[in-house]
Amino acid sequence: AVAYFLLSIAPAKLAVAVLFVVACFVSMAMGTSVGTITLLTPIAAAVAKDSGFSLPLCVASVMGGSMFGDNLSFISDTTIAACSTQGCEMRDKFRANVKDKFRANFRIALPAALATLAVIVVISLRVNVAQTPSGDHNLLLLIPYVLVLIGGIAGLNVFVVLLVGIVAGAAITLAIGQV
């Protein structure tokens, strides 16, 4: 929903940059780069097919954005594994170090993300773009991602946060009839 919404309002020449930004957001909310890549690669393939952008560029933008978001995510699978193996609560880790961890990661990841986005835009402006794919996008489907992101930032138990995201996603999907 996020990808198709942004693709529908952005100029076609910026479709690959949109994929990168969407991957950043989704990965940060989901806490997994691999899950985000799996989710967005079919959309990247559709963008490549319909627009004239190369498939490797579209997929690489999804992968790069996914790595950025996972690095800054509060519910990253690597963070969960670290807490689980060290016998600490996720809540304790984040309350003690959340600002320092986030700031350090942000200072490393943001310049790399901005440089990557700039390269993507420069390459994109040189491509003769036919069109971008259009798909259904209901912005209500964004709510589960936002709830998970907020829950992770608040330091709630990761399983509770993910359960809230799943239940919210299921309820919204049933409510709008996209089963």
Side-chain angles (χ1 to χ4, degrees):
V2 176
Y4 283 123
F5 169 70
L6 290 177
L7 286 169
S8 73
I9 63 171
K13 281 205 173 270
L14 297 179
V16 180
V18 166
L19 288 171
F20 180 79
V21 171
V22 169
C24 290
F25 169 74
V26 171
S27 183
M28 189 180 295
M30 286 183 22
T32 173
S33 55
V34 174
T36 303
I37 292 166
T38 303
L39 178 71
L40 294 179
T41 296
I43 297 172
V47 167
K49 181 180 173 225
D50 292 350
S51 67
F53 288 112
S54 72
L55 181 61
L57 176 64
C58 292
V59 173
S61 71
V62 167
M63 291 176 69
S66 297
M67 298 301 165
F68 171 82
D70 187 25
N71 186 11
L72 294 178
S73 180
F74 291 96
I75 59 166
S76 174
D77 49 0
T78 52
T79 301
I80 295 166
C83 288
S84 297
T85 60
Q86 299 305 309
C88 68
E89 298 271 335
M90 291 278 291
R91 177 183 319 224
D92 296 336
K93 179 187 184 304
F94 287 124
R95 284 195 179 143
N97 299 318
V98 71
K99 289 182 183 176
D100 294 335
K101 175 190 179 285
F102 187 80
R103 284 182 187 153
N105 284 354
F106 194 73
R107 287 182 188 142
I108 294 167
L110 184 64
L114 292 176
T116 302
L117 188 58
V119 169
I120 289 170
V121 169
V122 167
I123 292 170
S124 296
L125 293 176
R126 295 180 179 173
V127 174
N128 187 15
V129 179
Q131 64 181 4
T132 54
S134 60
D136 291 337
H137 56 274
N138 188 328
L139 292 182
L140 290 176
L141 294 172
L142 205 118
I143 293 172
Y145 292 105
V146 173
L147 290 174
V148 169
L149 192 58
I150 290 169
I153 292 169
L156 299 175
N157 180 294
V158 70
F159 296 110
V160 171
V161 170
L162 293 176
L163 183 61
V164 166
I166 291 167
V167 170
I172 291 168
T173 300
L174 288 173
I176 62 175
Q178 288 192 353
V179 178

